[in-house]
């Protein structure tokens, strides 16, 4: 039984971490949508989303984002546009030549473009930013390309943390098409439709999704200061060494966050019931300290520890410019439906399967392989009132997990688990209306985390 409980604790801890921060990273739907408007094309082997894109492939996408594909081809066929590089295919030559002629992309030497070399996330984000009207050297430094792209909502380090693949190229392209151009007059895809570079009817499903998402993203929900009630039902079934346990869990609580420029305050109180046992956990962050109170089985533990390094990481994760429309995450959405409910508007968002790059990021943070984790489709319903303020969010999804858990006796147990989640969040207050009342921390004992993780 001790072995089983060890495995159970490991699965629950990992499950909680995933629910707190994981996001999908499987962009087949984005590739399909881009293909429908002629922006992304495959080969005889399909879209080949699992390989790195080449510089030539990135060049082709960039010319299409400028709405200059036909112009480039016609000029090249007429002989008024020539490609100075010897390592570019006949198919890619018009695109590379147009970019070079317009000073948008250079070669790796006077005679080579580096056509078959892999394109990096930084390189492609720089291309996308240029297509939106930004200039490196003026609006952003090339070395800071990813940070600038993240501030515009195009790039997200959690979604694109691993090797840069054609899958990621499709996702970034999708999000750039939904982003505002530099002058703020419209978003990129709408601009391409107006210029006649993209067929309006072919793009209708994509524009409808983008515009619904942009409305949803602009909802008045200050995620730097929030006060929300949260409830979660989780049904888990776990198998280990032929032994199976079913563990239904119900949690209810309240989370308050106030995030300043250089500080963070938080209060979280959660009551969890599983197998007839109820535990209460309170977590507070204040002045660089974390305070934890855990009660269950008639016992209560109170401890505190400093979190300077962890706080810096949290602040960095919250560094996106919230004054700009954030479209990061759009590429992982399969569909958005809207409907009225009285004076409110309900947005039903369906997200695709997979964790991809985000799981690589989670693995990197904990410093170990997590095994295999598969999210089923995620359905989220957002309720927005007539003033554009977010009132509530509900989410349902399931997770299948397989992992190897090391035991104290040196053996390893193979564990599989399935978890079905049903979560609801109700917004109590945002912005300056969020007020946190902290308890008395005088009897919290200090804990040195360095001694626990030598």
């Amino acid at each position: 039984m001790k072995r089983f409980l060890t495995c159970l604790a490991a699965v629950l801890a990992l499950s909680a971490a995933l629910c707190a921060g994981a996001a999908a990273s499987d962009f087949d739907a984005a590739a399909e949508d881009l293909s429908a408007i002629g922006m992304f094309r495959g080969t005889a082997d399909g879209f080949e989303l699992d390989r790195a894109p080449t510089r030539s492939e990135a060049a082709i996408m960039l010319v299409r984002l400028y709405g200059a594909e036909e112009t480039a081809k016609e000029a090249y066929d007429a002989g008024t546009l020539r490609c100075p590089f010897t390592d570019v295919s006949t198919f890619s030559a018009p695109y590379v030549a147009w970019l070079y002629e317009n000073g948008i992309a250079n070669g790796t030497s006077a005679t080579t473009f580096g056509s078959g070399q892999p394109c990096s996330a930084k390189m492609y984000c720089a291309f996308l930013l240029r297509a939106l009207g930004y200039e490196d050297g003026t609006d952003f430094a090339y070395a800071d390309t990813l940070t600038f792209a993240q501030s515009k909502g195009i790039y997200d380090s959690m979604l694109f943390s691993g090797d840069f693949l054609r899958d990621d190229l499709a996702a970034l392209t999708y999000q750039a098409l939904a982003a505002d151009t530099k002058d703020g007059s419209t978003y990129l895809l709408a601009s391409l439709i107006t210029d006649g570079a993209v067929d309006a009817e072919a793009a209708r499903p994509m524009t409808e999704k983008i515009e619904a998402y942009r409305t949803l993203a602009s909802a008045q929900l200050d995620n730097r200061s929030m006060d929300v009630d949260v409830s979660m039902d989780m049904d888990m079934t776990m198998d280990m060494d032929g032994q199976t346990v079913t563990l239904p869990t119900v949690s209810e609580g309240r989370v308050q966050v106030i995030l300043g420029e250089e500080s963070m305050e938080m209060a979280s109180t959660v009551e969890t019931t599983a197998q007839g046992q109820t535990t209460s956990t309170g977590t507070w962050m204040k002045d660089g300290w974390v305070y934890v109170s855990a009660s269950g089985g008639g016992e209560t533990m109170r401890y505190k520890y400093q979190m300077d390094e962890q706080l810096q990481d949290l602040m960095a994760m919250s560094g996106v410019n919230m004054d700009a429309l954030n479209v990061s995450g759009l590429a992982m959405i399969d569909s958005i439906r809207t409907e009225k409910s009285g004076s409110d508007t309900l947005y039903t968002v369906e997200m695709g399967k997979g964790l991809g790059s985000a799981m690589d990021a989670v693995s990197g943070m904990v410093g170990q392989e997590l095994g295999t984790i598969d999210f089923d489709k995620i359905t989220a319903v957002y309720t927005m009132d007539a003033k554009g303020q977010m009132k509530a969010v509900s989410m349902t999804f399931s997770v299948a997990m397989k992992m190897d858990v090391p035991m104290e006796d040196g053996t390893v147990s193979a564990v599989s688990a399935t978890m079905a989640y049903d979560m609801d969040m109700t917004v109590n207050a945002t912005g300056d209306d969020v007020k946190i009342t902290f308890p008395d921390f005088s009897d919290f004992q200090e804990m040195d985390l360095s001694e626990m993780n030598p």
Side-chain angles (χ1 to χ4, degrees):
M1 178 57 71
K2 182 178 180 182
R3 173 187 294 266
F4 195 86
L5 291 176
T6 300
C7 294
L8 177 62
V11 171
L12 286 174
L14 178 55
S15 172
L18 290 173
C19 290
S25 180
D26 182 8
F27 306 120
D28 296 74
E32 292 286 354
D33 283 355
L34 293 174
S35 176
I37 62 171
M39 190 74 65
F40 191 76
R41 297 167 192 168
T43 67
D45 297 321
F47 289 133
E48 298 183 85
L49 299 178
D50 58 351
R51 69 166 174 83
T54 64
R55 279 172 53 87
S56 280
E57 289 171 337
I60 292 169
M61 291 290 286
L62 183 58
V63 172
R64 290 172 181 162
L65 285 169
Y66 272 94
E69 182 171 26
E70 294 306 317
T71 299
K73 286 182 176 180
E74 290 171 3
Y76 188 81
D77 290 342
T80 58
L81 182 64
R82 296 184 178 181
C83 182
F85 306 116
T86 60
D87 63 340
V88 177
S89 69
T90 302
F91 179 81
S92 303
Y95 303 91
V96 173
W98 188 89
L99 292 175
Y100 180 77
E101 183 73 18
N102 286 276
I104 299 169
N106 297 314
T108 55
S109 73
T111 59
T112 60
F113 182 69
S115 182
Q117 294 180 11
C119 177
S120 67
K122 179 188 288 188
M123 185 187 306
Y124 194 62
C125 281
F127 286 165
L128 295 176
L129 290 167
R130 292 168 193 164
L132 289 167
Y134 299 101
E135 298 180 24
D136 41 330
T138 301
D139 298 305
F140 66 98
Y142 182 74
D144 300 324
T145 294
L146 295 182
T147 300
F148 189 76
Q150 184 163 347
S151 75
K152 300 305 175 185
I154 301 170
Y155 178 79
D156 189 308
S157 58
M158 283 294 290
L159 293 179
F160 308 105
S161 60
D163 295 335
F164 188 64
L165 305 177
R166 280 170 57 85
D167 187 47
D168 305 307
L169 179 142
L172 287 173
T173 302
Y174 201 108
Q175 292 178 172
L177 286 168
D180 283 336
T181 56
K182 180 184 175 181
D183 62 14
S185 60
T186 187
Y187 60 93
L188 183 56
L189 180 57
S191 175
L192 292 171
I193 293 171
T194 299
D195 293 341
V198 173
D199 180 73
E201 190 58 34
R204 186 181 301 279
M206 195 168 169
T207 54
E208 289 177 351
K209 181 160 66 173
I210 287 173
E211 289 172 9
Y213 189 88
R214 284 167 59 89
T215 301
L216 184 59
S218 65
Q220 298 177 32
L221 178 61
D222 185 352
N223 70 344
R224 299 180 71 87
S225 297
M226 289 192 299
D227 181 340
V228 299
D229 290 329
V230 181
S231 64
M232 180 185 75
D233 291 349
M234 181 192 75
D235 290 327
M236 183 180 77
T237 300
M238 189 176 79
D239 295 297
M240 189 273 293
D241 296 340
Q243 187 176 359
T244 302
V245 65
T246 300
L247 183 65
T249 303
V250 177
S251 298
E252 293 188 356
R254 180 182 183 185
V255 179
Q256 298 170 286
V257 177
I258 299 176
L259 187 61
E261 291 300 324
E262 297 181 357
S263 64
M264 178 178 182
E265 293 185 348
M266 186 193 80
S268 170
T269 55
V270 180
E271 187 173 273
T272 302
T273 301
Q275 293 185 322
Q277 300 293 320
T278 299
T279 59
S280 299
T281 304
T283 305
W284 300 268
M285 296 181 189
K286 190 176 189 294
D287 299 329
W289 285 83
V290 176
Y291 302 87
V292 179
S293 174
S295 301
E299 298 183 357
T300 299
M301 294 189 303
R302 295 184 179 91
Y303 57 92
K304 63 181 181 180
Y305 58 89
Q306 287 185 307
M307 62 163 297
D308 292 342
E309 183 176 340
Q310 292 93 330
L311 182 59
Q312 291 175 6
D313 292 341
L314 286 170
M315 297 293 288
M317 289 175 65
S318 303
V320 176
N321 178 13
M322 296 310 298
D323 293 331
L325 178 66
N326 190 339
V327 293
S328 65
L330 173 60
M332 68 185 181
I333 291 176
D334 288 347
S335 66
I336 303 179
R337 302 190 309 274
T338 62
E339 60 180 301
K340 297 294 291 185
S341 177
S343 60
D344 296 335
T345 302
L346 274 57
Y347 294 80
T348 301
V349 179
E350 297 279 354
M351 288 172 273
K353 296 182 178 182
L355 282 176
S357 300
M359 281 313 308
D360 291 338
V362 174
S363 297
M365 284 189 283
V366 300
Q368 61 185 1
E369 293 294 328
L370 298 178
T372 61
I373 302 172
D374 181 30
F375 271 53
D376 200 351
K377 281 188 176 291
I378 301 171
T379 301
V381 180
Y382 301 85
T383 302
M384 190 186 303
D385 69 15
K387 296 181 180 180
Q389 294 183 329
M390 191 69 70
K391 294 176 60 177
V393 181
S394 64
M395 184 177 295
T396 58
F397 61 95
S398 61
V399 184
M401 180 186 306
K402 292 182 179 180
M403 60 190 298
D404 293 329
V405 179
M407 310 305 298
E408 293 180 357
D409 59 7
T411 61
V412 175
S413 289
V415 181
S416 63
T418 57
M419 290 152 286
Y421 292 89
D422 189 344
M423 298 187 291
D424 293 285
M425 181 185 78
T426 302
V427 180
N428 300 317
T430 62
D432 294 338
D433 292 332
V434 179
K435 309 294 182 184
I436 298 177
T437 300
F438 292 98
D440 181 4
F441 297 127
S442 59
D443 62 343
F444 284 63
Q445 301 298 309
E446 184 173 351
M447 177 182 295
D448 187 350
L449 295 185
S450 64
E451 295 179 357
M452 299 177 61
N453 299 284

